[in-house]
Amino acid sequence: MIERFQVPLSKKAKFGQLKDLFWNEKKSVGMYVNKNTILLTLLAVLLGRASILDGLAPFGIAYVAAVISKERRYNYMPLFVMLGILTGQQVGGWTKYGTILLGAWIVFSIFREKKPLSFLGVATIGGALVFVIGCVHAYITGLYIYDIFMIAFESVVTFVFIYILSYALPVVLQRTNRKKLSNEELVCIAISMAIAITGFTNVIIAGYSLKNIFGILLTLIFAYLGGSGVGASVGVTIGIITSMSTIGTPAVIGIYGFSGLLAGIFKDLGKFGSAIGMILGNGILTFYINGSTEVILQFGEILTAITLFILMPKSIIQYMDKFSNGSIGILAWDKAYSERIKEIHHERMREYAEVFSQLASTYNQISVKEKMIDQQDLACLVDQVANKICNECGMCRSCWQMGFYDTYNGIVEVIASLESTGRISSDKVPQSLKRRCIRLDALLQRIRDTFELYRVQYQWERKLFENRTLIAEQFRGISEIFDELVQEINEEWIFKTGMEDDLYVAFDQEGISVDSITVLERSGGKFEIDIKRRACYDRKQCEQRIAPLVSKVIGREVIRNNLHCNSLRDTNTCLFKLVEAERYRGSTGVARISKDGGYICGDNYSYMHLKDSFYMMALSDGMGSGEKAAKESLTTINLLEQLLEAGFNRELAIKTINSILVSKSSEEIFSTIDLSLINLYTGRLECIKIGAAPSFIKRVNGNVEVIRSTSLPVGILNNIDIESFGKKINSGDLVVMMSDGVVDADKDMEDKENWVMEAIQKIDSKNPQAIADHLLDLAIEKYGERIEDDMTILVTRIWESQKSQ
């Protein structure tokens, strides 16, 4: 058996060991002395002093039970609670509460080491200790039935407060910095703080009660950080607890609650706003209760609390923020989730845009033959002809071995002549080939047949290349669409819930029933109001009753976004959108007639409001006249309407239409595009012309400006030149668009648009329809009453709305 022995330490080693012991002890003490420990110690003293019903002090006992049952390092807390009891309770209660504290320290220390208790178990044992030791103390000092009821009440309060501390204390005890608290934690923290404030009972400085000062200060902080709801709740809680600590009027409950409510309402004005709300709440409710200027909460106490509140460092306000505003409301959670959903959609859209962009690049990288027959094809063609004709000929050896170069070059010359002229003439056949070849006719015919196969193959390759180019262009367009969607997703939208509430009240006052209202403010400051209500079946109630009422409530003129009734089928409801009225308005008149007075006109047109406050006028002239031309122009207009309404870029929409028309059929499908877009907020006119006739702008002063185009119609070439012209439109200006049939009416004039300019200058009317009819009559007159082409005229008048003036 090996015996244990000790090695004697030198003096230096002993000194080092003592130094390490002292240093570790110092470090351990430093670890426990922090702001949470200071807060817990202060709470211990205050809760030891806190009492209700003028003598019961169960809060310090509950606090000790809740703290030491979980953490050994807080075994010293009963001493600070006892310090609070000694300074706040009468001498007769010192023995009772000292004995309960000692019993709680022993019992919970034993359970903590052997079998940790749940908070329910701690609360049960704590309440039982208060009841048993309280009864023993009462029996020794003289027991009455009233004492039994009071001891039972105190034990119940102990039980409840331990349970309350089970939610409040972990926020302080946990080492992680909690930022989001549940509603239960917030309520329990507020109750615990209110009870701690009662520890200042009977502490008077310069005639002012510290209990009232800190109660007002706590209400101010919670109201300022959490708003009116939190301020009122905390105020009521503090009022109830503080009124229980002393025998006094319960009116203080209402004063604290009402003052907290007003302080929260005025919090948007800053700290001074909350302070004004507290003063107003106290003054109004005091006058209501007393009917005089005698206040319940002294003005000096309120002023002292306000001074402390205003001078309070920002760090303390931020620390208290998690206790007053830590619980995330539904709107906050919704905003967080919606932001995350926006990010997910943003990334997906970006990925889709990148995919289609790569597809477009891939299709563009596919090369195409620049020549119908290149050097390699030429050699193959000669081989095919020779294998088919010359191999069966008896002169093959003479031609291809003895006279190879003459024979080969002769066939190449024939192929070159055929490629350049499209036929083989006898004078283009080399003499060397005529002298040598005994099957010349068969050879030439074979060259024609083989060349035709190459020509057809080349045409199909070109067609496939053109289709690939169109597909690449469409892929690129889809990529641009996704990019625009990404920008829309990133747009900042704000839901105006306060304005929604005002609208609900206004509709209710007017007797208009609505199912739902959503008010959205976009990044540009424009409002969009979506309203869902019972359908009126196109009786225009949305325009006649609802839009004026909404304009009155929000202080901005609104109009209906879509001019067509939007009733939802099978639901008996209508969903419509109101948008802010633009600065400018537009009205369009149309006059048209078909060639020779027929029923079908080859021209088609459209005018409509687009989203983002653009007014569109479009005119398309199909190739020729009659039904075929009408189909061409109708297809163009329908596609243009759908693409622009869907939010396509103007140039992208036109390129897409051109791609569709080019690839739609083997037949030639041509049509012009004359597109005018007016920004109704800025009055900016954008004209896009693809093979279209000139347009005219008549200014208010009578001057006429011409907008011309030299580009080809859509449906002819894969790549089109898009000419765009920008002009500023003023109130009262006229925009006149027409098909080429109108411009060509005067056969005698070299510059055919001159007669139109003169006619527009002479017109005095401001009615767009009257102007369009007059111009059409003049064109028919120029033709000599014989209509030689389809004619369409669109006249749009722009004026400034009265609201913007």
Side-chain angles (χ1 to χ4, degrees), residues 516-520 528-532 575-578:
S516 64
I517 303 172
T518 304
V519 180
L520 182 67
E528 290 184 2
I529 300 98
D530 290 303
I531 298 177
K532 185 178 181 181
L575 178 63
F576 59 92
K577 183 190 297 291
L578 298 177

Side-chain angles (χ1 to χ4, degrees), residues 317-374:
I317 295 292
Q318 290 176 347
Y319 179 76
M320 292 292 295
D321 185 38
K322 70 175 183 178
F323 300 118
S324 61
N325 202 21
S327 181
I328 302 178
I330 296 176
L331 290 178
W333 278 113
D334 286 347
K335 183 177 181 180
Y337 282 120
S338 64
E339 288 295 330
R340 181 56 185 149
I341 292 172
K342 182 189 290 187
E343 292 176 3
I344 293 173
H345 288 170
H346 176 274
E347 293 301 323
R348 294 298 298 275
M349 291 294 183
R350 282 290 186 193
E351 291 173 2
Y352 291 152
E354 185 64 25
V355 167
F356 283 106
S357 178
Q358 290 295 331
L359 287 173
S361 300
T362 302
Y363 272 92
N364 280 335
Q365 291 172 0
I366 300 174
S367 61
V368 64
K369 291 171 61 177
E370 297 296 333
K371 297 180 179 180
M372 184 171 65
I373 297 179
D374 55 21

Side-chain angles (χ1 to χ4, degrees), residues 389-401:
I389 301 299
C390 299
N391 283 348
E392 301 174 358
C393 179
M395 296 295 293
C396 179
R397 181 178 179 183
S398 174
C399 295
W400 289 102
Q401 290 185 7

Side-chain angles (χ1 to χ4, degrees), residues 109-396:
S109 296
I110 294 173
F111 275 105
R112 184 185 63 228
E113 299 298 332
K114 293 186 177 181
K115 185 180 180 181
L117 297 171
S118 64
F119 267 108
L120 181 60
V122 174
T124 303
I125 294 175
L129 280 173
V130 171
F131 182 78
V132 171
I133 296 177
C135 289
V136 173
H137 179 269
Y139 178 77
I140 295 173
T141 58
L143 183 63
Y144 296 95
I145 297 178
Y146 174 76
D147 294 331
I148 299 295
F149 284 111
M150 294 300 292
I151 294 169
F153 175 74
E154 191 173 24
S155 64
V156 171
V157 172
T158 304
F159 175 88
V160 173
F161 192 56
I162 291 175
Y163 209 75
I164 290 173
L165 290 173
S166 69
Y167 285 98
L169 284 178
V171 178
V172 180
L173 294 176
Q174 289 178 1
R175 295 182 180 179
T176 57
N177 186 17
R178 293 281 305 280
K179 294 183 179 180
K180 306 302 178 185
L181 308 180
S182 66
N183 290 329
E184 292 81 3
E185 289 172 327
L186 288 176
V187 171
C188 293
I189 287 172
I191 294 174
S192 301
M193 289 182 176
I195 294 174
I197 287 174
T198 61
F200 291 108
T201 302
N202 300 326
V203 179
I204 308 297
I205 298 178
Y208 299 138
S209 171
L210 285 184
K211 179 185 71 174
N212 292 341
I213 291 173
F214 283 106
I216 296 168
L217 178 62
L218 191 63
T219 304
L220 270 173
I221 293 174
F222 272 85
Y224 174 70
L225 296 175
S228 58
V230 175
S233 302
V234 172
V236 169
T237 303
I238 293 175
I240 292 174
I241 301 299
T242 54
S243 64
M244 291 175 64
S245 63
T246 56
I247 300 175
T249 173
V252 71
I253 301 173
I255 293 176
Y256 271 110
F258 187 61
S259 299
L261 176 67
L262 290 185
I265 290 175
F266 289 104
K267 78 180 187 68
D268 292 335
L269 300 177
K271 288 185 176 181
F272 286 99
S274 295
I276 292 172
M278 177 64 70
I279 295 173
L280 289 176
N282 179 61
I284 292 172
L285 213 58
T286 299
F287 183 79
Y288 173 76
I289 295 172
N290 294 339
S292 65
T293 57
E294 183 181 353
V295 294
I296 298 176
L297 294 177
Q298 296 186 48
F299 181 76
E301 295 172 343
I302 297 177
L303 187 61
T304 303
I306 290 174
T307 303
L308 293 174
F309 173 64
I310 293 174
L311 297 178
M312 186 172 290
K314 187 177 180 180
S315 58
I316 298 178
I317 295 292
Q318 290 176 347
Y319 179 76
M320 292 292 295
D321 185 38
K322 70 175 183 178
F323 300 118
S324 61
N325 202 21
S327 181
I328 302 178
I330 296 176
L331 290 178
W333 278 113
D334 286 347
K335 183 177 181 180
Y337 282 120
S338 64
E339 288 295 330
R340 181 56 185 149
I341 292 172
K342 182 189 290 187
E343 292 176 3
I344 293 173
H345 288 170
H346 176 274
E347 293 301 323
R348 294 298 298 275
M349 291 294 183
R350 282 290 186 193
E351 291 173 2
Y352 291 152
E354 185 64 25
V355 167
F356 283 106
S357 178
Q358 290 295 331
L359 287 173
S361 300
T362 302
Y363 272 92
N364 280 335
Q365 291 172 0
I366 300 174
S367 61
V368 64
K369 291 171 61 177
E370 297 296 333
K371 297 180 179 180
M372 184 171 65
I373 297 179
D374 55 21
Q375 198 64 35
Q376 184 178 358
D377 292 333
L378 184 61
C380 292
L381 194 152
V382 173
D383 286 341
Q384 291 178 19
V385 172
N387 290 335
K388 190 67 176 178
I389 301 299
C390 299
N391 283 348
E392 301 174 358
C393 179
M395 296 295 293
C396 179

Side-chain angles (χ1 to χ4, degrees), residues 625-639:
S625 61
E627 184 176 357
K628 181 181 177 182
K631 288 182 178 179
E632 295 168 2
S633 60
L634 182 61
T635 299
T636 302
I637 289 296
N638 286 341
L639 288 172

